[in-house]
Amino acid sequence: MSNNENIVWHEHQVSKQERSKLKKQKPCILWFTGLSGSGKSTIANAVESRLLELQKHTYLLDGDNIRMGLNYGLGFSDEDRVENIRRIGEVAKLFVDSGLIVLSAFISPFQREREMVRKLVKRDEFIEIFIDTPLEVCQSRDPKGLYEKARKGEIPNFTGISSPYEAPDKAEINIKTDKMSLEESVEKIVTYLEKNGYFSGE
Ligand SMILES: Nc1ncnc2c1ncn2[C@@H]1O[C@H](COP(=O)(O)OS(=O)(=O)O)[C@@H](OP(=O)(O)O)[C@H]1O
Ligand SMILES: Nc1ncnc2c1ncn2[C@@H]1O[C@H](COP(=O)(O)OP(=O)(O)O)[C@@H](O)[C@H]1O
């Protein structure tokens, strides 16, 4: 017997469309994916600041922070990473329903889970942004010193070293941080949103 048997979905009186119209924007998830040190956090933060300047309503879900709260206790086995992304996907969906432009910055190494999140929302509400930085570049940046630890065997299942990363094959936006400045990356993402009607709440 499913434990959902006596649970009934409620339609709310105020709709997503009404909330979005008030905010003068089309809600969506900007799903950043890429290796550790690829630039997900840096770019997502810069995009959020730019959106704030444009008077857009946003929320940033960021890897390390979510793992300290909502996903406290989840590790880096394949199984825990799947659960991590599943929960984040559900939270992102709620925020989209609230009318926000959601930015999420997780490695999200598996194609299947990214596709699962894509299917949680409407077709144009999921924008996959591949932070396409070569592993060697991430390793040389090593902003948190984690690659060095992983190479010494001090961190098991480290993405790119001892755990896989499946690169997206149909991301809406591709960002090569070894060839583009932070400003160019922000511009590319914000221009995509503008051209595709995300800055209008009709
Ligand atoms: N084993 C291992 N592999 C990868 N990353 C590790 C690991 N252990 C700790 N960290 C730190 O956790 C951050 C990644 O968490 P995520 O929630 O984004 O990972 S995942 O999507 O569930 O794969 C990641 O943050 P970013 O560097 O910002 O990507 C690391 O700081
Ligand atoms: N063009 C660029 N775009 C984004 N980050 C860059 C770029 N060039 C260098 N960096 C640096 O790379 C590092 C990326 O770290 P971070 O944003 O934490 O990555 P992630 O969230 O993917 O782990 C930062 O130290 C950042 O300053």
Side-chain angles (χ1 to χ4, degrees):
M1 191 205 298
S2 151
N3 57 7
N4 287 343
E5 203 165 285
N6 298 316
I7 296 175
V8 179
W9 184 263
H10 284 254
E11 288 306 329
H12 294 170
Q13 224 164 315
V14 177
S15 70
K16 170 161 74 174
Q17 204 192 1
E18 286 165 316
R19 286 188 285 267
S20 309
K21 199 170 173 186
L22 191 69
K23 295 183 174 71
K24 301 189 176 65
Q25 62 190 36
K26 192 160 96 178
C28 60
I29 307 172
L30 300 177
W31 189 273
F32 293 80
T33 173
L35 292 166
S36 177
S38 58
K40 302 180 297 294
S41 252
T42 304
I43 300 170
N45 271 284
V47 169
E48 189 178 35
S49 295
R50 180 80 190 108
L51 292 175
L52 183 80
E53 283 168 10
L54 295 169
Q55 318 242 312
K56 298 300 153 195
H57 299 252
T58 60
Y59 196 75
L60 170 58
L61 297 164
D62 197 315
D64 288 324
N65 297 358
I66 292 289
R67 280 176 173 277
M68 286 180 191
L70 175 70
N71 289 352
Y72 180 78
L74 290 181
F76 290 91
S77 63
D78 288 4
E79 196 185 13
D80 279 7
R81 288 182 201 254
V82 167
E83 179 60 12
N84 185 40
I85 299 307
R86 187 193 71 77
R87 290 187 201 169
I88 291 153
E90 292 290 348
V91 170
K93 178 183 174 170
L94 291 176
F95 283 176
V96 164
D97 195 47
S98 79
L100 295 177
I101 296 175
V102 184
L103 304 95
S104 80
F106 299 89
I107 298 178
S108 44
F110 304 127
Q111 184 85 41
R112 210 179 71 151
E113 276 61 51
R114 294 193 301 264
E115 287 310 303
M116 182 195 73
V117 180
R118 185 186 284 277
K119 288 193 187 109
L120 281 178
V121 290
K122 289 190 183 154
R123 188 203 275 259
D124 57 356
E125 287 175 344
F126 184 87
I127 301 164
E128 191 172 29
I129 304 176
F130 180 24
I131 306 302
D132 187 2
T133 309
L135 177 63
E136 312 78 69
V137 176
C138 297
Q139 277 180 309
S140 68
R141 288 181 185 162
D142 205 6
K144 301 173 192 161
L146 297 178
Y147 282 101
E148 198 187 340
K149 280 194 188 170
R151 275 199 306 272
K152 286 193 211 150
E154 290 169 16
I155 310 179
N157 303 323
F158 196 79
T159 308
I161 305 290
S162 47
S163 184
Y165 177 77
E166 299 168 3
D169 53 14
K170 54 172 184 193
E172 277 75 10
I173 304 176
N174 189 293
I175 302 283
K176 294 196 182 294
T177 68
D178 54 335
K179 301 198 173 77
M180 292 161 74
S181 69
L182 178 58
E183 294 68 30
E184 286 168 334
S185 304
V186 171
E187 192 56 34
K188 185 170 180 180
I189 295 165
V190 173
T191 302
Y192 178 96
L193 294 175
E194 195 177 9
K195 282 201 172 142
N196 288 283
Y198 290 90
F199 294 165
S200 138
E202 294 312 311

